[in-house]
């Protein structure tokens, strides 16, 4: 990156957006921020410029969306006062959400008509902690020339950038990635409950997994950091898991792919949603796993 500060915007200052904005500020960029919630904006009154999306689009070279999903971005890109009304020449929009790739392509086409590049960038690498540390991996789809031009501007927020292809490929990869991640969480949870019933301590079970072939990010980080510690602070809601796996299954249905393990994972999550736990940190599902087992409930009723 050149010594001249880059004008970069961040829209969405939640669990992920906070870390992204912090690292862009720390590396000397001229950062603009926005969130619909005033308490989320308040910490940036001195370190960044707080502006609404339309004004941000007129001043920034690049804007990163870290909002719940495509509908929120869609709303900001519509109407006379939208981000596409009078955008800065050469503006690049980076969509860091976990979104339906079909919707992503629709937004990209709309942006391109206004001379604005639209890139999709799925995030992975430690969740909110990775965003805080600037160590994420980004799965990127869109115009390759734009990717090459903007890569240096993304360096403060990610240690690894993987370009995958045309618009939508980054978000497709993210949907596939998250299905595996969430399935791993429930698979390990099942194994841990089985071990508990057989008299094996959870800490011992995790130690064995992490020194054997069953290790994964879930065993190496999620369980030690958020479950064994009893802090229950994975910083991702059950709502997010429901959205992620739901999109993966919808994509599989569209493409005719087999995702039986994904469907079993979705059944656990759907049961948690039915129990009113959409806003719970997902790590809190581990102690209650057996309460989410529909098959076990069905057997009890049959008895």
């Amino acid at each position: 990156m050149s010594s001249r500060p880059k004008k970069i915007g961040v829209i969405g200052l939640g669990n992920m957006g906070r870390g992204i904005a912090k690292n862009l500020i720390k590396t000397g960029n001229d950062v603009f921020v926005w969130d619909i919630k005033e308490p989320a904006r308040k910490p940036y009154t001195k370190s960044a410029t707080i502006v609404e999306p339309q004004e941000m689009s007129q001043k920034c070279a690049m804007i990163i969306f870290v909002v719940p999903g495509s509908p929120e971005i869609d709303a900001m890109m519509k109407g006379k006062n939208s981000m596409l009304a009078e955008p800065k020449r050469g503006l690049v929009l980076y969509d860091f959400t976990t979104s339906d790739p079909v919707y992503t392509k629709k937004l990209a086409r709309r942006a391109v008509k206004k001379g604005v590049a639209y890139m999709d960038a799925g995030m992975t690498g430690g969740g909110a902690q990775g965003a805080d540390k600037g160590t994420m991996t980004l799965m990127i789809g869109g115009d390759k020339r734009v990717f090459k031009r903007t890569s240096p501007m993304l360096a403060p927020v990610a240690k690894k950038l993987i370009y995958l292809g045309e618009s939508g490929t980054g978000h497709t990869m993210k949907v596939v990635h998250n299905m595996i991640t969430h399935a791993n969480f429930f698979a390990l949870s099942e194994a841990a409950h089985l071990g508990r019933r057989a008299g094996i301590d959870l800490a011992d079970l995790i130690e064995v997994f992490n020194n054997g072939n069953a290790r994964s990010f879930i065993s190496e980080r999620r369980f030690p950091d958020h479950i064994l510690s009893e802090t229950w602070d994975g910083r991702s809601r059950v709502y997010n898991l429901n959205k992620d796996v739901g999109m993966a299954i919808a994509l599989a249905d569209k493409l005719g792919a087999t995702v039986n393990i994904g469907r079993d994972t979705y059944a656990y999550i759907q049961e948690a949603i039915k129990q009113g736990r959409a806003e719970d940190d997902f790590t809190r599902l581990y102690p209650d796993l057996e309460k989410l087992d529909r098959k076990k409930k069905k057997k009890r009723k049959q008895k």
Side-chain angles (χ1 to χ4, degrees):
M1 191 167 9
S2 68
S3 57
R4 186 177 178 182
K6 298 290 191 300
K7 291 186 177 182
I8 303 175
V10 178
I11 298 178
L13 302 168
N15 283 332
M16 302 298 289
R18 284 197 300 270
I20 290 167
K22 179 193 76 174
N23 285 307
L24 288 169
I25 293 166
K26 190 168 68 175
T27 48
N29 292 287
D30 187 1
V31 179
F32 293 70
V33 297
W34 180 254
D35 193 287
I36 58 171
K37 297 177 181 176
E38 195 278 333
R41 303 192 301 264
K42 195 172 181 180
Y44 300 91
T45 52
K46 293 182 179 179
S47 60
T49 303
I50 300 171
V51 293
E52 294 195 23
Q54 183 191 19
E55 184 179 351
M56 189 184 290
S57 71
Q58 296 168 354
K59 295 181 176 180
C60 292
M62 183 176 83
I63 296 172
I64 298 170
F65 293 111
V66 202
V67 295
S70 296
E72 288 78 10
I73 298 173
D74 196 344
M76 288 184 271
M77 291 173 61
K78 279 181 179 175
K80 290 187 291 186
N81 297 318
S82 80
M83 296 180 70
L84 299 181
E86 297 179 76
K88 181 181 175 67
R89 186 176 179 181
L91 173 64
V92 178
L93 301 177
Y94 262 94
D95 180 353
F96 277 32
T97 67
T98 301
S99 296
D100 177 358
V102 175
Y103 206 153
T104 296
K105 291 178 184 179
K106 172 185 166 184
L107 294 175
R109 287 192 296 268
R110 190 190 305 166
V112 168
K113 286 179 181 178
K114 297 292 185 178
V116 174
Y118 193 99
M119 308 290 287
D120 48 295
M123 301 179 283
T124 188
Q129 288 79 14
D132 289 344
K133 296 175 183 176
T135 57
M136 295 190 298
T137 293
L138 296 179
M139 313 162 233
I140 299 173
D143 188 316
K144 192 170 188 177
R145 291 168 299 178
V146 174
F147 166 69
K148 288 182 177 179
R149 175 163 58 88
T150 54
S151 291
M153 298 166 72
L154 294 171
V157 304
K159 68 174 182 179
K160 183 76 173 177
L161 307 175
I162 302 175
Y163 177 75
L164 295 163
E166 64 183 19
S167 177
T169 54
H171 282 169
T172 298
M173 188 68 239
K174 174 65 171 174
V175 167
V176 173
H177 172 278
N178 279 13
M179 182 179 71
I180 294 171
T181 301
H182 302 328
N184 280 347
F185 170 74
F186 285 101
L188 200 160
S189 294
E190 284 187 353
H193 278 270
L194 173 61
R196 174 182 59 79
R197 284 178 173 270
I200 298 173
D201 182 74
L202 177 60
D204 292 337
L205 181 139
I206 294 300
E207 183 179 6
V208 171
F209 281 4
N210 287 339
N211 286 278
N213 293 341
R215 68 188 179 280
S216 67
F217 174 75
I218 302 300
S219 68
E220 291 178 339
R221 304 304 314 176
R222 290 302 193 193
F223 267 71
D225 294 353
H226 314 299
I227 294 172
L228 282 168
S229 65
E230 297 187 353
T231 53
W232 316 109
D233 56 352
R235 290 169 68 181
S236 186
R237 299 172 294 161
V238 174
Y239 168 89
N240 298 107
L241 274 65
N242 187 60
K243 172 187 152 188
D244 294 351
V245 182
M247 282 196 294
I249 290 172
L251 181 63
D253 288 343
K254 182 180 177 182
L255 299 177
T258 299
V259 288
N260 291 329
I261 295 171
R263 292 183 196 281
D264 286 342
T265 299
Y266 196 50
Y268 274 127
I269 299 166
Q270 284 280 284
E271 184 61 28
I273 295 290
K274 283 186 177 180
Q275 292 179 16
R277 303 189 63 176
E279 297 303 313
D280 285 5
D281 191 284
F282 81 95
T283 58
R284 291 189 177 276
L285 296 182
Y286 166 71
D288 299 327
L289 182 77
E290 293 177 344
K291 295 177 184 176
L292 304 176
D293 187 347
R294 291 180 180 178
K295 292 176 184 177
K296 185 175 286 187
K297 285 183 176 181
K298 193 172 181 181
K299 285 180 182 177
R300 283 173 186 160
K301 286 181 180 178
Q302 288 173 346
K303 288 180 181 178

